Amino acid sequence: MTNKTLLPLLLIVFLASCKSRQYTKNNRQIEKQASKANPNYESYSTLSYIESFKGVAIEQMNSSGIPASIILAQGILESANGNSSLAKYANNHFGIKCTSEWKGKGYYKDDDAKNDCFRVYKDARESYRDHSEFLKRKRYSFLFELDKNDYKNWAYGLKQAGYATNPKYPELLINLINRYKLNQYDQPETEQEKFLREDRVFADINKNIPKEKEKFAPVSTPTSNQIIVANDISDSPTDKTTSNGRYTVKKGDTLYNVAKRFNLTTDELRLLNNLPDTGIKIGQELLVVK
């Protein structure tokens, strides 16, 4: 390989590395803000998640016609009971990505591509509302003709429309609904109520059709407003590690602040150490070098 060929490749690698560091800093800033806003965060169980979000699921069902059971089952599945990093830090319970028309912040995770941009919401309720809006497009339109308590056909219809690549996605949703009796939150509607609801929803879908590409297609290059400049985060760890890249947990340490000091996300630190949750103990040795 000649020097002329090598230099552009090195430049591409350098720029990609700079971008990755920028996204990592951005995520740490969002995580810091979320932890400050909710310092006593407690993980959800499936039952506590249902109890916390059944109200907004019913609200969205009555507004759009998506069964509350489907909304809750998707939330449970997509957000790991509200405990995924996207849900905890970005209030994003359905994995909805940034688009060119998204004006909010972005949180970056490897998904279909490296450093995919996911929407950051001010609260979980906003995520639930956006999920309903996300489904109001041509490819899902046939689903809104179903009764709003027809969760089985909604589950199979979502897979048919391409919502998920997992071939067992319908069964996963239906099993969750049956196990936790989520269909108790579904409500029938009269013929007149269904007509009025369909009329309202299809008006929204038809309005979206001309701008679906802009409104719903994920962007490869995020807009500047989706990046937070994290000036107050140090890039240099202040704590010593052992020669094999390990750090011993001290009093007052949390998974979040240890990860921040060593330029890691909490998910990266958990994966490096095979941690099942966010709990760490004094004296525990953590691998902090990737």
Side-chain angles (χ1 to χ4, degrees), residues 43-63:
S43 297
Y44 291 99
S45 67
T46 306
L47 291 177
S48 66
Y49 183 88
I50 293 166
E51 187 63 28
S52 296
F53 298 108
K54 65 183 182 182
V56 66
I58 292 170
E59 176 187 293
Q60 290 306 304
M61 172 185 65
N62 290 332
S63 171

Side-chain angles (χ1 to χ4, degrees), residues 54-69 71 132 136 144 147-149 154 184-190 193-201 204:
K54 65 183 182 182
V56 66
I58 292 170
E59 176 187 293
Q60 290 306 304
M61 172 185 65
N62 290 332
S63 171
S64 65
I66 307 166
S69 59
I71 298 172
S132 297
K136 289 180 184 177
F144 292 96
D147 290 340
K148 68 177 186 178
N149 59 354
W154 259 93
Q184 67 181 294
Y185 306 116
D186 295 340
Q187 299 166 2
E189 56 190 347
T190 66
E193 286 171 336
K194 183 178 180 183
F195 173 79
L196 292 173
R197 188 259 303 164
E198 287 180 347
D199 191 49
R200 183 177 66 252
V201 171
D204 289 342

Side-chain angles (χ1 to χ4, degrees), residues 14 31 42 69 101 124 141 201 206 228 253 280:
F14 173 76
E31 290 164 9
E42 293 185 7
S69 59
E101 60 95 42
S141 60
V201 171
N206 289 332
I228 296 175
D253 282 337
I280 53 177

